[in-house]
Each structure stands twice: as C-alpha cells, then as structure tokens.
Amino acid sequence: MAAETLTHYRTCPLCEATCGLEIAHRDGEVIRIRGDRADVFSHGFICPKGSTLGKLDRDPDRVRRPLVRRDGQHEEASWDDAFALIEERLAPIIAEHGANSVAVYLGNPNVHSMSGVLYVKPFLKMLRSRSIFTAATVDQMPKHVSSGHMFGHPDLIPVPDIDRTDYLLMLGANPYESNGSLATAPDWPGRMEAIRDRGGKVVVVDPRLTRTAKAADEHVAIRPGGDAAFLFSLANVIFDEGLADLGGLTDHVEGVDELAMAVSGFTPETVSPACAIAADAIRRIARELAGAERAVVYGRIGTHTAEFGTLASWMVDALNAITGNLDSPGGAMFPLPAHEQSRSRRPFQTGRWATRVRKLGETRGELPVSALAEEILEPGEGRIRALVTIAGNPALSTPDSGRLEDALASLDFMVSLDVYLNETTRHADVVLPGSTPLRRPHYDFAFYGLAVRNVANYSPALFEPEDDSPDEWEVLLRLGATVSGQGHDADVRALDEAVFAMLVASGVGEPTSPIHGRDPEQIYAATDGDAGPERMLDYLIRTGPYGDGFGRDPEGLTLQRLREAPHGIDLGPLQPRLPDALCTPSGKADLAPAPLRADVDRLRSSLDATVNGGFLLIGRRHVRSNNSWMHNVDILMTGKDRCTLQINSEDAERLGVSTGGQVKVSSSAGTLVTSVEVTDDIMSGVVSLPHGWGHDTEEARLSVASSRAGVNSNLLSTGAMDPLSGNAVLNGIPVDVVPA
Ligand code: SF4
C-alpha cells in the first residue's frame, strides 16, 4: 500500500524572517513546501529559499559521516575515531600553548538553530579560550556596541515597528532581497506596501537603486560610507531648527545636551560632499522625519559595515529618540520574546582583552574576525595554532580571504562542524557532520528577540537524524568534553544535566524569576523532556514573560502549548518597554554615551578627506542566496549569472567595457577578474559585487556551486575596521577597475 502523504508545519530557519512553512511529505521524503497561510506571523509568505529545505536535506554532497583527513584526502570515519583524533591532536596543543591557542569561528547559521544558541556557550565555557571570532564582526557588531552603550545590553536592540509607522527612513538595507535583518518581519515587501497604502512614506537611502528602493516613494543615492555623516546631519538640523521632541521619553533618557553638542557642526552643507546628498534634501528629510506622527529610522548592513559603523548605528537610535519615536508605536520598539529572562544592570564594557598583533579590543566577548588571519600567521608567543569552525565558511565570508586561506593552511590542527566540505572545512583535519533543518526541532531564540511583532512558534523535527548521527547539541557537548580534558568518551547526558542544573539554579536564585526560591528538584520534575534543547526551551518559555511560571499562572505558555499551536502563537504588537527593559546602571537610556562621543572627532576629520579617482566597492544581496551556503542547491542557482560587477553606464563607457566583458578589480588586499554588468541602478563611481562566491576550490565537495563558481569578493576586502566595534569595513572599499 502506498504511504500516506502527511502535512508538517514548521518555521523556516534559513534567514531572519521566520516564515511558516507547510511541508507535504511521504515516506521520509519532502513532496512539496509552500508558505503556511495560517502562520500567525508570515500568513503564507515564502521566498525561493524556503521551498528548498527538502533539496538541502537530500543533497548528495552533504557531509553525512565524520571525515578525517589522511594524506590530504578526506575519508569517512566513525564518530568515536573522529573524536579520538580530535583529543589526540588538540590536547597537546592546549597543554603546551594554552587554551587561547585554540580559536573558534562561529558562522551565522549558529543563531538559526536551537543547539547553536543553547549549546555553543557551554562548549566555549569548557574550552576556556578567549580567541573567539564570529560572523557578527563581519556585519552587525556596531548595533550591539551602540545598544550596549545606549541601553545597557548589546542585545537590547530596538526594531522598526513597520506595521504601524507612517514614515520609514531606511539606510543600507535591501529587505526585498535579504528578507530583513535585525528586524524580523516575514514579507517585508507586503509590509512596506502597507505603509504606502495607509498614506505613509518610505525613503530608501542606498548607493544602488535596489529592488527595495524601487518600491519606495523616494530613493536617495548616498556615497558609500557616508551614512554616519548623513545621520549626524539629520540630527543637527532637528536640534538647530528646534524640532527635537522626546515625546514620553523625557524621564527615561539622559545625554540630550551632549548629543546636541556631538552633532553640532554637522550641517547639511558640511556633510554634503562626504555623502553626496544635496544639503536641501538632507534638510527636507530631517523635517519630514521630525514632522511625521509616527516615524522610524532603520539602518542595516550598509550602515554597519563602514568605517563609522558604530557612530551610524548610534545616530539611528538617537534620531528615533529625539523625534519622539523611540519605544513608541510606529517608531523603534523593543520586542519582548517569550523566552526572555531578566537581565542585570551593569556597565557595558568592551576591550576587556585584545588581540595579540594589533591589540584590537574584544566586543561582546569576541575578537574582530578581520584579525583572525594575522593572529594565526604572525609568529610569536600566543599565536593561534588550532581552529574550530562551527557552521561557518570564513574562507569566503570574512575579509582579506587570500591571507586567511594561507592562515588556514598553516594551522597545526583544525576541526569543523558543518554540513558541507566547503572552501573552509576542506582545511579541517576532522569534519563532523552538522544536521539539516528538517532533522532538528526549531524555535527561533535569536530572531523572536528582533521581531516586529511578539510571536512564538515551535517546530518539532520532521525526520530522524541520519544513520547513527548524534544531535548537534550532543556533538557540541562531546566536543567540549574533548577539549576540556574530560575525555572524548565523557558522559554527554551527565554534561547536559549539569548545564540544565546551572540554568535552573540561576532562576531559583534570581529575585525577579517566577521560580525564585523554589526547590530545583521540583522544577526538574515538572519540565517537559529529559534532555537537550527542548527541555531548556520549556524551562525558558515557562519562566519567560508569558510563561506559566511552573504553576504560578495556569493559563501561561509552556512548550506543550506551543506544540498544540503548529501555526504559532501571536503575542500581540510590540508594547512600550522603557524604562523597565533598560540595563544601564542609571536606569536611563544614554543618548550620548562617552565612548561613542570620543569617536566623533574622527568622523569630523573624515569630512575633509579627498576622494581619489578610483571606484568604491559595495556588496549586494540576492533573494536566492544566503551568504555562501545555499549555493549547492541547484534550483537556486538557475538563471543568469549573479556574480557580476555592477557598474554605472557612464563609468563603463569611460572604461570601454560592456555587459559580459571581463574586468580586473584591484584593492590594496588583492585582485580578481570578473564579468561586468552595466546598469544605471548604481551611482557613478561605485561598483558592486555580491559576497559568498568563489566556489572554485577543487578540494571542496560542492558540485552544484562549483559549476557556477563566481569570484570571492573578500579577496578585495582589507583588514580595515570600525575601531569601536571591530566590525569589518566592507562598504566603500577603494578599488581600481580596468578591462581584463
Ligand atoms: S524569507 Fe527567509 S525565513 Fe522566509 S522562506 Fe525565505 S529563507 Fe525562509
């Protein structure tokens, strides 16, 4: 008898939008995936990537068994043999050179998995290395640093309340392609259209006329890297013309006078050459922003991956505050996710330790990834000798890739946890297979904390793990035991008990927790599940703001309630949360933190810098791409070549190149040859190349990706960074372009 076709609902974990999926499956195979119309948040929206989860799961190139490199070749091995080798090779390195000689690189997919969010921390604790690098210093650390200084916690990030705003000023973001970032909202296009339908206005500031900009009321072309100067000037106009109005925030903020001082001198006329926006336009936008009843400024990757990324990020939130739009419906608001736990008030600090070579300070417990290559390559005491990568492909996705390739090849030992043998993991001595999204449960810890509406949705695993594969949380704990001297065959369940016991102890000891003072044994007994991330999820949901408090509110949320709601639970629109949400020692939001003000003179001086005659390189996103790692899914790789250098038609004519022709692009870091795409959708003097390409490495096992390899844009990015956050400068890299 033919097997029955069944329907499964789950949240797509591929990007930040958290769309609900409806998956038809039969006999362990996905038949069809479409958007879940009943999903409380996405209402049926889906992008091309979401429907390919089945293909990703079935990809024959995917790593399914541990791989061990012998004589330059990766061969399958048992889990026990792989872990035994990790122990044999890493233990002497740690014993001789210390834990800091083992670095960890965490890729972006870690925040899209429950195991990544809940079990990477215990692994890092067991490793005890300060050499931690993540994708956050590639694209978003400025937001964490400005939030840390302004609101007291690096993860306390206000998001644009796009469902209720009348005026959206968006910089450096292209949600029609990216589906949104640091602002979780399935169906950005529909939500943007709704702003216009209700009589509002959308203004997009970007060097390119992106799909998002085309859908807006107004596109303002800006010189790459000019965002901070533009934003400072908007604030300057608002103060200068007496338009500042804190709304209901007056008692909850400090630093208004210092903010006015910081932006003084940044008049529209002064900044206009730096951002290439006419002074009149800057003044008009400032007045529109201040005059709209409900307005919000939202800045994303283009504002963050710049020389003044943290100053730009600060000014986004400062503008929202001085126009009365911070913590106000239709403005920038703080989500309240179902798993949120209370946060303590203490000063936010950066620079508690630093890199060895350039003395670059840590931010949020991690070091700038732009410094990873030199920390491996530069000889001397304290050199990084081994690397653990978890769900990351820094060889393509981090700056100065040419140097990093050399660095990866020079390591004494490397271990990777990943779904592919890719451009990075090909260097690994041991590759441990990661799981695919359909074979693990999901609840979006990271992105419900950034969502434009409070929602909660839990998805159980659709399929069992393959063969004898352990779950990722078990792999991470076993890795932790291996690097901490507990042995690769340590009892993973006992380690998990210890991790969970610490979590419960923190709740029992926390005066504001609903389980304060309770007997931990009672809590263990009442928690849903006996191990792993689902048990932790039940605990966090029940002790969270909507939870049942383990009996305190019988109507409250539990994991079981989430299980019974496969389309999610709507917890309502965002609500004002100040001052309670603030974690600053003063209990107020600081609109002009001293560490940020200290960097303003650098911005002032940059306004006088002369522009050379070359081009400025920027990146770009495509809806069918997810950084580097969805390029092996055939259906997403069809159509015309996407890895092209976009160039303005006047510039192309001057250079004598046309669409399809080849050009040589050079920066101070490297050179590459790529094909040209002539368009008037980009400013003159600016060229654009997407990132995440360059799949031409023979040792990688990416048969689809390698057939349309493209070029690696990070061969051109340098080690330059925003000094406040350590974030890479990728927006506005000076390059020369000549016909090849
Ligand atoms: S927008 Fe993001 S979350 Fe939604 S289907 Fe596409 S990849 Fe998945």
Side-chain angles (χ1 to χ4, degrees):
M1 201 170 84
E4 194 186 349
T5 299
L6 303 170
T7 305
H8 169 83
Y9 297 98
R10 69 184 302 107
T11 304
C12 175
L14 293 177
C15 86
E16 301 184 30
T18 71
C19 301
L21 304 178
E22 182 188 287
I23 303 178
H25 63 102
R26 186 171 54 225
D27 237 0
E29 291 277 326
V30 171
I31 311 291
R32 185 197 61 237
I33 299 181
R34 62 185 182 194
D36 174 11
R37 289 201 188 97
D39 186 275
V40 297
F41 198 20
S42 60
H43 309 292
F45 179 81
I46 186 171
C47 87
K49 294 190 291 288
S51 61
T52 66
L53 285 181
K55 283 187 170 286
L56 178 67
D57 194 69
R58 283 197 305 272
D59 188 343
D61 285 345
R62 200 157 55 70
V63 177
R64 288 179 164 78
R65 306 269 306 154
L67 300 175
V68 167
R69 193 166 58 168
R70 293 192 182 98
D71 301 324
Q73 298 294 317
H74 283 94
E75 297 168 5
E76 287 196 355
S78 70
W79 284 90
D80 282 344
D81 286 351
F83 271 106
L85 182 64
I86 296 168
E87 184 171 358
E88 182 192 321
R89 299 286 301 279
L90 272 186
I93 295 173
I94 295 171
E96 192 177 342
H97 303 289
N100 292 343
S101 68
V102 181
V104 177
Y105 177 80
L106 302 171
N108 173 295
N110 280 291
V111 291
H112 296 264
S113 95
M114 290 174 72
S115 292
V117 171
L118 297 173
Y119 286 90
V120 162
K121 264 191 201 152
F123 160 67
L124 294 179
K125 239 182 173 164
M126 286 190 264
L127 176 61
R128 296 171 59 200
S129 170
R130 285 183 159 180
S131 306
I132 310 301
F133 302 83
T134 84
T137 52
V138 179
D139 69 4
Q140 68 180 53
M141 194 54 86
K143 194 81 241 166
H144 292 298
V145 172
S146 68
S147 286
H149 287 304
M150 294 179 79
F151 309 122
H153 196 286
D155 296 336
L156 197 50
I157 294 173
V159 300
D161 184 12
I162 55 174
D163 292 344
R164 290 181 288 184
T165 199
D166 300 322
Y167 189 93
L168 172 62
L169 175 61
M170 177 163 25
L171 295 94
N174 187 6
Y176 271 62
E177 301 287 1
S178 71
N179 287 306
S181 182
L182 296 184
T184 287
D187 192 13
W188 262 86
R191 290 169 200 263
M192 271 177 60
E193 276 164 32
I195 296 173
R196 302 182 68 193
D197 288 349
R198 59 179 179 263
K201 181 171 181 179
V202 178
V203 179
V204 172
V205 181
D206 202 294
R208 286 197 313 126
L209 180 62
T210 60
R211 275 178 65 212
T212 305
K214 284 176 183 166
D217 295 273
E218 183 179 355
H219 169 232
V220 179
I222 186 168
R223 183 174 179 272
D227 307 65
F230 170 68
L231 291 160
F232 268 62
S233 191
L234 293 179
N236 173 283
V237 173
I238 287 168
F239 279 118
D240 191 51
E241 299 191 1
L243 302 174
D245 177 3
L246 293 168
L249 277 185
T250 311
D251 293 339
H252 309 313
V253 299
E254 58 191 3
V256 180
D257 292 343
E258 291 84 351
L259 175 64
M261 282 286 291
V263 301
S264 67
F266 287 90
T267 64
E269 287 73 18
T270 312
V271 307
S272 179
C275 58
I277 301 175
D280 285 354
I282 298 172
R283 265 203 186 84
R284 175 180 53 77
I285 292 168
R287 290 171 191 149
E288 286 177 2
L289 184 63
E293 194 175 332
R294 296 174 300 182
V296 66
V297 186
Y298 164 61
R300 192 43 196 110
I301 195 157
T303 60
H304 295 158
T305 55
E307 204 183 339
F308 300 99
T310 305
L311 293 189
S313 177
W314 162 34
M315 207 46 58
V316 164
D317 291 328
L319 279 164
N320 287 325
I322 62 172
T323 53
N325 291 306
L326 181 66
D327 199 41
S328 176
M333 302 193 76
F334 297 93
L336 183 60
H339 60 274
E340 185 166 294
Q341 306 288 295
S342 65
R343 294 169 168 142
S344 56
R345 284 187 175 175
R346 58 178 155 211
F348 172 70
Q349 285 180 297
T350 60
R352 292 166 296 174
W353 59 91
T355 62
R356 179 177 61 100
V357 180
R358 273 193 278 169
K359 311 292 177 225
L360 304 165
E362 62 74 41
T363 47
R364 218 173 55 138
E366 58 188 90
L367 297 168
V369 74
S370 296
L372 177 57
E374 69 206 30
E375 292 295 306
I376 296 170
L377 288 172
E378 291 289 326
E381 189 64 24
R383 183 171 76 79
I384 289 172
R385 292 161 192 272
L387 177 66
V388 180
T389 70
I390 303 176
N393 192 357
L396 289 193
S397 60
T398 65
D400 202 358
S401 299
R403 196 153 181 238
L404 188 60
E405 275 283 341
D406 295 342
L408 295 179
S410 76
L411 287 164
D412 294 352
F413 189 70
M414 178 170 159
V415 54
S416 296
L417 173 57
D418 210 289
V419 290
Y420 285 117
L421 192 65
N422 60 27
E423 295 75 14
T424 296
T425 59
R426 74 187 175 95
H427 292 285
D429 296 280
V430 177
V431 182
L432 302 171
S435 66
T436 69
L438 297 180
R439 294 179 190 272
R440 60 189 185 220
H442 188 65
Y443 168 89
D444 231 307
F445 281 108
F447 300 108
Y448 290 145
L450 294 161
V452 302
R453 192 171 176 93
N454 292 317
V455 288
N457 203 336
Y458 162 78
S459 321
L462 173 57
F463 300 138
E464 293 290 316
E466 287 160 312
D467 303 329
D468 60 345
S469 291
D471 286 328
E472 263 179 24
W473 64 272
E474 294 174 292
V475 176
L476 286 164
L477 288 179
R478 195 172 177 187
L479 205 49
T482 306
V483 297
S484 60
Q486 297 176 64
H488 71 271
D489 48 3
D491 182 348
V492 166
R493 293 284 160 151
L495 290 170
D496 187 44
E497 284 307 314
V499 170
F500 187 61
M502 276 174 64
L503 186 64
V504 174
S506 68
V508 167
E510 167 56 50
T512 61
S513 169
I515 62 161
H516 177 62
R518 298 266 295 269
D519 177 358
E521 292 296 336
Q522 234 184 40
I523 304 300
Y524 300 151
T527 311
D528 192 340
D530 58 4
E534 281 153 307
R535 174 168 66 169
M536 285 216 244
L537 173 62
D538 186 49
Y539 171 85
L540 292 167
I541 292 282
R542 295 175 75 175
T543 53
Y546 315 91
D548 81 337
F550 284 91
R552 201 168 78 168
D553 173 9
E555 299 301 309
L557 276 190
T558 62
L559 175 56
Q560 183 54 29
R561 290 239 157 84
L562 292 185
R563 281 198 181 100
E564 290 161 4
H567 309 291
I569 293 178
D570 180 19
L571 300 167
L574 305 185
Q575 301 293 330
R577 293 194 59 199
L578 298 192
D580 295 351
L582 295 170
C583 301
T584 51
S586 68
K588 295 187 174 194
D590 187 351
L591 298 191
L596 306 188
R597 276 187 282 134
D599 199 33
V600 173
D601 279 347
R602 192 172 64 91
L603 176 63
R604 246 182 253 283
S605 310
S606 76
L607 299 179
D608 302 326
T610 49
V611 183
N612 73 17
F615 290 90
L616 293 175
L617 176 70
I618 61 171
R620 73 177 185 270
R621 286 291 299 259
H622 193 282
V623 71
R624 287 172 172 266
S625 204
N626 203 359
N627 301 323
S628 68
W629 80 278
M630 292 295 281
H631 288 169
N632 212 50
V633 177
D634 52 7
I635 201 163
L636 295 175
M637 296 291 274
T638 54
K640 65 176 191 173
D641 185 11
R642 300 204 300 268
C643 188
T644 57
L645 187 84
Q646 290 190 340
I647 187 167
N648 180 276
S649 56
E650 284 176 19
D651 294 331
E653 193 177 331
R654 185 165 48 80
L655 291 179
V657 296
S658 54
T659 294
Q662 298 281 297
V663 285
K664 189 163 96 172
V665 191
S666 312
S667 73
S668 62
T671 296
L672 54 81
V673 173
T674 186
S675 55
V676 165
E677 180 185 346
V678 179
T679 171
D680 284 330
D681 288 348
I682 192 164
M683 288 172 82
S684 176
V686 179
V687 288
S688 165
L689 193 61
H691 72 279
W693 297 83
H695 304 289
D696 51 359
T697 310
E698 278 182 13
E699 294 97 324
R701 289 185 198 160
L702 296 165
S703 54
V704 176
S706 61
S707 68
R708 305 194 73 172
V711 292
N712 178 5
S713 65
N714 275 312
L715 291 170
L716 300 170
S717 56
T718 66
M721 64 188 77
D722 163 34
L724 286 172
S725 64
N727 203 93
V729 176
L730 304 173
N731 180 13
I733 300 167
V735 292
D736 287 321
V737 181
V738 295

